[in-house]
C-alpha cells in the first residue's frame, strides 16, 4: 500500500505551526516512514503535484492568494485540517478585524506610523505580483469546509503527532488535556 | 449656554427631583420628567440627580441607559418614534419612514441639524389596529399616510404646538364587546359589595370562578393572592402589569381608555384581598398619553371615598393607587423585571425563588396581575363566580379579550368566550386567504391553516390575546419572522447569555437561508439551539427563538424551498466584495472572481 | 435547619438556605460556573451552572436547597448546553487567547478546554469594542468581557456601592468603571478586580504574563479538578 500523502501550507500565519511540526524532533523520522510529504515548506516542494490524503493548513485568510491556495488545498485534499489559532479563528492577524478598516491599516503601516522613514511620496505597495488584502481576516472554515481542527498557538507537537497517527491508523484518539491549548 | 440658562435648567431639574422627595426608588419618574422637559438627559442633569438621590452618576446612568425612551443625547424638540412592528411594515411603514426622512431632512436614529426633529424607530407601541403609527412627544399619531406625514413635518417645522399638530389620534376599535367590556355598574357598587365580605371570602370567590392570569402564563389568580396574603409582612403591594409590550397586543390600551374604573376597582379588590396598602399601575411609556385621563379617574375615586384612608368606608382599609411609568422596555412586562424597574433600576428579571409573592416590590410580598385579570375580578365580585364559571370552558372560565390585527378587514378588540376556534375568529374579523396566524405575538406560536380548528383555551391554544393574521401575499420568513427576531435582539435585557447572544446567531442563520445559502444542517442546528434558549432566566428570553422555531415546525416547506440541495457546506465569502476596499486604495482592478 | 438533598443519586446532608452549588461543591461535585464567585451575591447571568433540579432546569448558583430536593448536575443535555454557551461567548466577543494576559488562568478558556472546544459552531462576530484606560491602575478590554456581572456585583466593602456598573442593554451592554470615585481606587483594588474577572477584561496596569506557561492555573489540570479531588465529606 502506498503511504498516505500529506501537503501542508501556511496562509496568514507565522510558520509557528510548522515549527511545531519540526518540534516532533526525532519522531519526524517515524513520520516519514508512515507518510509522504507533497507540497510543504518542510521539503520545499512548491506546488501540489497530485491528490493528497491530508492537507494541513496553518493561518487564516488575509489576502486573495490565501483564498486561492486554501481552495486549491480543499480541491486536492481528501481530509483538510485547520491547524492553530489563525486557521481556526483568524488569530493575531484578525485583531485588525474589530479595530481598523483595511485603509486605516495600510495608512498606519506605510504612511503614518512613527517608524516609517523613507516613504516621502506616501506610497502604498502596489504591484500586480502582490495579492490583494481582504477586508477582514477570515477563519478557514468560513471559506471552505474543514474536517478537523487542531487548536493551539502553536499546537503542541504531541497533539499534532497524536492527530496524524490517529488519522493514518484510523484509531480513535484521546485528546490529552495538557496538549489542548489555545495559546 | 450662558450661566443663566444653566442655572435655570438646574433649578428646574432640582425642582423635579424635589417633587419626588429626592427618593432613589422614584428614579424612573425623575428621569422621565427630565427627559420630557429637556428632550434628553444631559450629563449635568445626571450629575444633579445623582447628588440629590445620594447615588453616583454611573449608577444613574446604569438605569437611564437601559430604557429606550430615555436618552443621553438630544432627541429633538419633536421626537418621532415610528413603530417598526411587523404589522406596521405590512401596512406600509417603509413609505412613511422614507417620507419622514425626506421631509425632516434627517435619517432615522438622528436629529435634524437645527435640533428640531428627531427620528427614531421603536418596537410595537400597541397600535397594530391602526398602523402605521408613531409617538411624537407622548402624543400618538395613527393611520399615517404619506400626505399626512408631509403635513405633520411641515407643522413641526413651523413650530406648531404638539397638541395642535395635524393627525389622527387613537381609536379604541372595540368591535365586539363582551361581559368584561360592558359597563354594568359603577366601581362604588362593586367595591361596597366587596368590602362587605371578608378578604378570605373574596379570595374564595375568585377561586370558585377559576380565574387564571390573562397575561399568558395562566397562573390561578386566587392562588397568587393566597400565597401573598400568607406571607407575614409590614406592607404588601398589588401591581397591575400594564406594560403590554408583546407586539400585536393592544387590548389593555382599550381597557385603560374605556374601562379604567373597572380596572382600578379590580386593583382595590385585589388590594383588599391580599391586605395591601398600595396599588401601583405599571404603565408602559408608550401609553403616556393616557396619564391625564387615568389620573382624573383616580382623583374621582378618591373624591368618592373609594381610595385613600378607610377606602370604601371600610375601617382600617387604607389603600391608594398610583401610576408608575416604564421607560421603554419589553422585558419589563416580565413581573420581576417590572418590579426592578418600579424600584428605579434596570429592568432585568430576578432569579426565582424568591417569587414576588414572597419578596416583591422593595422586598415586600407583592402580587402582579394583568389588566384584564383585574377587570375580570371586578366583574366576578359584581356578578358572582357562578355567573363567571358559566362562561367559557370548564378549564378556561370566562372570556378573553383579543387584539386582532394584520391582514383582515376589521382589526380591533374582540371579547370572546374561551373555546372559540381560530376559524370562527378569522371569519369574524373578515380574514380571507390566510397563510398563518401568529398567536400570542412573537413569543407565541405561528400556526398554519391545519391548526385553525384549534380552540382558544388554556388546555388547547393558550393565548395572551394577540392574534396577527398573515395573508398569503406575505413572505412569512422575510416579512414576519425576521422582524420578530430583530425585535427580540433589540429588547433582550442582556443579562442571560443565550437570550443576548443566541438570538443574534438565529438571525444570522435566518438571513443566510433567506439569501439562498442555507443547507439542511442549518435548520437542524437552529432546532438544536432551542434547548439552550430554554435555560434563559425569564419567559421572554426562553421564547425569543419562537418565531423561527414555530415556523420551522409549522411551515417547514418555506425553509426547505430556500435551501441549497446536494451540499452540506456553502461559504458566503465573496472575494470581489472582500477585496473592494484594498483595490480602491491601490487603484487596482480585481481579476476574474476578485483574485 | 438540616436538610437532605439528593445529588446525582446520592444523598447529602446540608443546611437549608445553602445554594445547590455550594452543597455540590462542598461534597466534591463540580458544577461548571462562570458568573458565580465566592463572596459575591449570585445572579444567574451565564446560565452555565444550569442543572436539573426537581426535574426542572434551574441555575445551581441561585437556587436555595430545600429538603428532599433531587438534583442532577451532569448529563449529555446539560453538558451540551454548557459547551454551547461557552461557544456563544467565544464568538460574541473577541477572544484572542495567544495575546491575552489572562490566558492559562482564564475561566472561559478553561471551560472551553474542559469541553474540548475545537472551533465554535457559530461564526465569529469580530464586533468593534474598545480597550479603555478606565483608571490609572486599571484597563478594561471590552473585547474580552463576557458580561458575567461579577465586577458589578462585587462589594469590597459590604456597605459601600460597587466599582463597576452595567450600561446599555442587550448585546450593547457594557461594564463601566465608576469614575466619580476614582480617587479612592487603588492598585490593590485593581488587583482584586482583576482576580474577580473570569476573563481578561479587567487588567491591572503593568500586570500580566508573570506566570510562565506550564505553571498557570489551568495548564495542567482542568477547571474544577480542585473540587473533584476534594475529599468527600
Amino acid at each position: 500500500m502506498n503511504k498516505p500523502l500529506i501537503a501542508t501550507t501556511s496562509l496568514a500565519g507565522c510558520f509557528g505551526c510548522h515549527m511545531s511540526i519540526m518540534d516532533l524532533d526525532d519522531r519526524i523520522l517515524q513520520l516519514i516512514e508512515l507518510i509522504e510529504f507533497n507540497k510543504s515548506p518542510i521539503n520545499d516542494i512548491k506546488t501540489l503535484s497530485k491528490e493528497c490524503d491530508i492537507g494541513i493548513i496553518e493561518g487564516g485568510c488575509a489576502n486573495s492568494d490565501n483564498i486561492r491556495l486554501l481552495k486549491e488545498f480543499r480541491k486536492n485534499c481528501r481530509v483538510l485540517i485547520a491547524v492553530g489559532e489563525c486557521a481556526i479563528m483568524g488569530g493575531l492577524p484578525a485583531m485588525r478585524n474589530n479595530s481598523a478598516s483595511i485603509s486605516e491599516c495600510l495608512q498606519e503601516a506605510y504612511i503614518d506610523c512613527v517608524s516609517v522613514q523613507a516613504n516621502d511620496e506616501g506610497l502604498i505597495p502596489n504591484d500586480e505580483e502582490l495579492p490583494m488584502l481582504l477586508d477582514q481576516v477570515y477563519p478557514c472554515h468560513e471559506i471552505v469546509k474543514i474536517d478537523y481542527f487542531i487548536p493551539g498557538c502553536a499546537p503542541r507537537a504531541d497533539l499534532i503527532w497524536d492527530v496524524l497517527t490517529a488519522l493514518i491508523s484510523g484509531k480513535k484518539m484521546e485528546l490529552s488535556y495538557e496538549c489542548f491549548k489555545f495559546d | 449656554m450662558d450661566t443663566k440658562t444653566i442655572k435655570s435648567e438646574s433649578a428646574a431639574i432640582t425642582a423635579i427631583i424635589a417633587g419626588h422627595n429626592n427618593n432613589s426608588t422614584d428614579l424612573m419618574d425623575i428621569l422621565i420628567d427630565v427627559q420630557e422637559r429637556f428632550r434628553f438627559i444631559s450629563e449635568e442633569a445626571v450629575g444633579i440627580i445623582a447628588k440629590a438621590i445620594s447615588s453616583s452618576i454611573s449608577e444613574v446612568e446604569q438605569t437611564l441607559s437601559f430604557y429606550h425612551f430615555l436618552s443621553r443625547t438630544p432627541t429633538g424638540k419633536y421626537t418621532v418614534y415610528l413603530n417598526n412592528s411587523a404589522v406596521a411594515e405590512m401596512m406600509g411603514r417603509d413609505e412613511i419612514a422614507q417620507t419622514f426622512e425626506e421631509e425632516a431632512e434627517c435619517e432615522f436614529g438622528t436629529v435634524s441639524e437645527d435640533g428640531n426633529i428627531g427620528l427614531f424607530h421603536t418596537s410595537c407601541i400597541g397600535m397594530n389596529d391602526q398602523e402605521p403609527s408613531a409617538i411624537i412627544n407622548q402624543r400618538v399619531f395613527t393611520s399615517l399616510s404619506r400626505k399626512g406625514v408631509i403635513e405633520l413635518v411641515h407643522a413641526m417645522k413651523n413650530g406648531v404646538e404638539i397638541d395642535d399638530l395635524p393627525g389622527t389620534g387613537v381609536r379604541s376599535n372595540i368591535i365586539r364587546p363582551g361581559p368584561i367590556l360592558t359597563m354594568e355598574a359603577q366601581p362604588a357598587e362593586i367595591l361596597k359589595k366587596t368590602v362587605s365580605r371578608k378578604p378570605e371570602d373574596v379570595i374564595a370567590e375568585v377561586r370558585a370562578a377559576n380565574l387564571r392570569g390573562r397575561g399568558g402564563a395562566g397562573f390561578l389568580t386566587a392562588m397568587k393572592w393566597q400565597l401573598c396574603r400568607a406571607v407575614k409582612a409590614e406592607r404588601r403591594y398589588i401591581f397591575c402589569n400594564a406594560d403590554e409590550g408583546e407586539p400585536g397586543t393592544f387590548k389593555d390600551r382599550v381597557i385603560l381608555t374605556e374601562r379604567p374604573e373597572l380596572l382600578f376597582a379590580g386593583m382595590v379588590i385585589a388590594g383588599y384581598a391580599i391586605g395591601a396598602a398600595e396599588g401601583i399601575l405599571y404603565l408602559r411609556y408608550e401609553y403616556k398619553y393616557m396619564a391625564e385621563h387615568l389620573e382624573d379617574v383616580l382623583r374621582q375615586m378618591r373624591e368618592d371615598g373609594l381610595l385613600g384612608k378607610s377606602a370604601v368606608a371600610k375601617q382600617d382599609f387604607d389603600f391608594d393607587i398610583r401610576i408608575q411609568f416604564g421607560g421603554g422596555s419589553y422585558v419589563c412586562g416580565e413581573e420581576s423585571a417590572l418590579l426592578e424597574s418600579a424600584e428605579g433600576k434596570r429592568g432585568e428579571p430576578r432569579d426565582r425563588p424568591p417569587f414576588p409573592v414572597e419578596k416583591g416590590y422593595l422586598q415586600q410580598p407583592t402580587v402582579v396581575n394583568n389588566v384584564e385579570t383585574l377587570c375580570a375580578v371586578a366583574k366576578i365580585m359584581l356578578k358572582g363566580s357562578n355567573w363567571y364559571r358559566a362562561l367559557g370552558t370548564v378549564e378556561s372560565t370566562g372570556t378573553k379579550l383579543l387584539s386582532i390585527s394584520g391582514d383582515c378587514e376589521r382589526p380591533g378588540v374582540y371579547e370572546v368566550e374561551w373555546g372559540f376556534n381560530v376559524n370562527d375568529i378569522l371569519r369574524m374579523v373578515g380574514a380571507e386567504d390566510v397563510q398563518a396566524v401568529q398567536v400570542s405575538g412573537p413569543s407565541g406560536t405561528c400556526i398554519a391553516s391545519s391548526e385553525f380548528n384549534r380552540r382558544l383555551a388554556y388546555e388547547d391554544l393558550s393565548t395572551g390575546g394577540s392574534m396577527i393574521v398573515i395573508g398569503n401575499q406575505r413572505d412569512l420568513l422575510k416579512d414576519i419572522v425576521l422582524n420578530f427576531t430583530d425585535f427580540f435582539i433589540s429588547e433582550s435585557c442582556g443579562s442571560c447569555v443565550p437570550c443576548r447572544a443566541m438570538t443574534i446567531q438565529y438571525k444570522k442563520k435566518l438571513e443566510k437561508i433567506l439569501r439562498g445559502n442555507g443547507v439542511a444542517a442549518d435548520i437542524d442546528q437552529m432546532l438544536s439551539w432551542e434547548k439552550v434558549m430554554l435555560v434563559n432566566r425569564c419567559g421572554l428570553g426562553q421564547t425569543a427563538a419562537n418565531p423561527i422555531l414555530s415556523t420551522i415546525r409549522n411551515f417547514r416547506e418555506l425553509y426547505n424551498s430556500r435551501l441549497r440541495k446536494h451540499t452540506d457546506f456553502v461559504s458566503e465569502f465573496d472575494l470581489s466584495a472582500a477585496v473592494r476596499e484594498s483595490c480602491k486604495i491601490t487603484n487596482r482592478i480585481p481579476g476574474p472572481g476578485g483574485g | 435547619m438540616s436538610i437532605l438533598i439528593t445529588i446525582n443519586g446520592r444523598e447529602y446532608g446540608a443546611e437549608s438556605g445553602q445554594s445547590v452549588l455550594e452543597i455540590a461543591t462542598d461534597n466534591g461535585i463540580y458544577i461548571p460556573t462562570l458568573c458565580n464567585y465566592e463572596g459575591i451575591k449570585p445572579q444567574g447571568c451565564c446560565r452555565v451552572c444550569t442543572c436539573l433540579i426537581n426535574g426542572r432546569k434551574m441555575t445551581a448558583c441561585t437556587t436555595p436547597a430545600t429538603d428532599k430536593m433531587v438534583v442532577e448536575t451532569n448529563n449529555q443535555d446539560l453538558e451540551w448546553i454548557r459547551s454551547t454557551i461557552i461557544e456563544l461567548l467565544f464568538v460574541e466577543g473577541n477572544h484572542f487567547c495567544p495575546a491575552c494576559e489572562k490566558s492559562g488562568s482564564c475561566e472561559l478558556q478553561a471551560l472551553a478546554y474542559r469541553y474540548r472546544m475545537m472551533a465554535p459552531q457559530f461564526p465569529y462576530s469580530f464586533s468593534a469594542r474598545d480597550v479603555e484606560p478606565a483608571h490609572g491602575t486599571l484597563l478594561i478590554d471590552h473585547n474580552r468581557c463576557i458580561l458575567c456581572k461579577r465586577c458589578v456585583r462585587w462589594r469590597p466593602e459590604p456597605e459601600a456601592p460597587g466599582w463597576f456598573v452595567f450600561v446599555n442593554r442587550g448585546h450593547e451592554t457594557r461594564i463601566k468603571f465608576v469614575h466619580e470615585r476614582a480617587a479612592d481606587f487603588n492598585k490593590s483594588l485593581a488587583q482584586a478586580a482583576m482576580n474577580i474577572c473570569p476573563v481578561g477584561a479587567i487588567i491591572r496596569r503593568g500586570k500580566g504574563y508573570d506566570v510562565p506557561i506550564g505553571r498557570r492555573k489551568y495548564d495542567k489540570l482542568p477547571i474544577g479538578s480542585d473540587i473533584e479531588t476534594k475529599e468527600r465529606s
Side-chain angles (χ1 to χ4, degrees), chain C:
Chain C
M1 195 185 78
S2 291
I3 55 166
L4 280 176
I5 149 171
T6 305
I7 306 178
N8 300 339
R10 222 187 108 175
E11 216 168 58
Y12 299 94
E15 290 301 309
S16 74
Q18 276 190 293
S19 73
V20 170
L21 180 69
E22 283 167 338
I23 298 169
T25 306
D26 286 351
N27 290 289
I29 300 163
Y30 172 63
I31 302 173
T33 63
L34 262 183
C35 70
N36 192 65
Y37 193 85
E38 209 184 328
I40 295 178
K41 196 171 177 259
Q43 203 188 348
C45 297
C46 69
R47 319 307 288 172
V48 166
C49 71
T50 299
C51 293
L52 266 185
I53 300 180
N54 288 342
R56 292 186 57 200
K57 289 197 178 97
M58 293 167 84
T59 43
C61 68
T62 60
T63 306
T66 53
D67 199 25
K68 301 202 177 64
M69 191 175 248
V70 178
V71 180
E72 198 179 328
T73 66
N74 221 331
N75 62 33
Q76 220 185 333
D77 224 28
L78 294 171
E79 290 288 89
W80 189 81
I81 289 167
R82 288 172 190 151
S83 64
T84 306
I85 292 174
I86 303 300
E87 291 178 19
L88 273 173
L89 289 169
F90 261 94
V91 302
E92 185 190 35
N94 300 301
H95 298 277
F96 297 102
C97 293
C100 180
E101 292 87 337
K102 216 49 181 281
S103 190
S105 303
C106 164
E107 294 175 42
L108 177 70
Q109 185 191 57
L111 281 171
Y113 289 169
R114 196 179 161 105
Y115 290 112
R116 303 292 198 272
M117 183 186 87
M118 298 291 181
Q121 58 179 306
F122 310 104
Y124 289 95
S125 65
F126 295 118
S127 59
R129 296 188 183 202
D130 291 335
V131 180
E132 185 193 342
H135 186 263
T137 63
L138 192 79
L139 286 176
I140 299 180
D141 189 340
H142 294 284
N143 291 291
R144 303 165 178 171
C145 179
I146 56 169
L147 303 172
C148 68
K149 233 182 167 180
R150 273 188 195 176
C151 61
V152 176
R153 290 175 281 143
W154 174 50
R155 297 286 177 275
E157 296 160 72
E159 297 310 311
W163 289 101
F164 298 85
V165 295
F166 253 8
V167 290
N168 307 332
R169 76 175 185 211
H171 62 98
E172 285 167 359
T173 308
R174 296 290 179 269
I175 56 166
K176 185 173 181 275
F177 179 69
V178 179
H179 290 281
E180 307 88 275
R181 294 193 286 117
D184 299 331
F185 200 74
N186 56 39
K187 251 190 201 165
S188 66
L189 282 168
Q191 183 62 50
M194 181 171 174
N195 295 346
I196 278 164
C197 182
V199 291
I202 297 177
I203 296 291
R204 187 185 136 194
R205 287 209 200 185
K207 245 337 218 195
Y209 309 113
D210 47 356
V211 183
I213 292 182
R215 293 221 304 266
R216 300 168 306 181
K217 216 166 163 188
Y218 305 115
D219 277 341
K220 302 274 186 216
L221 290 169
I223 187 169
S225 301
D226 52 335
I227 294 169
E228 287 170 326
T229 53
K230 200 157 48 179
E231 209 168 294
R232 300 201 171 192
S233 55

Side-chain angles (χ1 to χ4, degrees), chain A residues 20-35 37 155-165 168 179:
Chain A
S20 234
I21 298 176
M22 305 300 282
D23 216 20
L24 288 171
D25 296 337
D26 54 343
R27 277 177 295 181
I28 206 147
L29 298 173
Q30 291 177 50
L31 191 65
I32 50 174
E33 290 300 313
L34 294 169
I35 56 133
F37 277 104
R156 310 297 183 264
D158 286 343
L159 185 60
I160 296 175
W161 172 257
D162 286 351
V163 171
L164 287 180
T165 48
I168 294 159
C179 282

Side-chain angles (χ1 to χ4, degrees), chain A residues 107-180:
Chain A
Q107 180 78 19
E108 178 66 22
Y110 293 106
I111 297 167
D112 293 342
C113 180
V114 283
S115 61
V116 174
Q117 303 257 319
N119 189 6
D120 297 335
E121 293 144 86
L123 291 177
I124 286 173
N126 175 15
D127 189 282
E128 288 303 318
E129 286 292 301
L130 292 172
M132 277 169 292
L133 287 168
L134 308 180
D135 57 344
Q136 298 249 298
V137 176
Y138 292 84
C140 292
H141 65 274
E142 289 186 18
I143 311 297
V144 299
K145 191 181 174 193
I146 298 290
D147 301 299
Y148 298 101
F149 301 88
I150 307 181
C153 184
R156 310 297 183 264
D158 286 343
L159 185 60
I160 296 175
W161 172 257
D162 286 351
V163 171
L164 287 180
T165 48
L167 258 180
I168 294 159
S169 65
K171 285 193 192 119
K172 195 176 180 322
M173 73 171 282
E174 285 300 316
L175 265 175
S176 93
Y177 180 83
E178 270 189 81
C179 282
F180 190 90

Side-chain angles (χ1 to χ4, degrees), chain B residues 126-131 142-143 168-177 181 250-251 253-255 257-258 289 401-405 408-415 429:
Chain B
M127 301 290 157
N128 256 11
D129 54 335
Q130 37 208 311
E131 288 297 335
T142 64
S143 306
T168 313
V170 182
R171 295 179 304 279
S172 280
N173 282 340
I174 303 177
I175 316 280
R176 182 187 154 120
L181 285 173
F250 47 84
K251 46 131 188 140
R253 178 198 89 210
V254 174
I255 294 175
T257 311
E258 302 288 337
Y289 72 96
L401 266 67
L402 302 175
S403 319
I404 303 182
S405 64
C408 63
E409 269 173 46
R410 293 175 293 279
V413 170
Y414 293 73
E415 184 177 354
V429 302

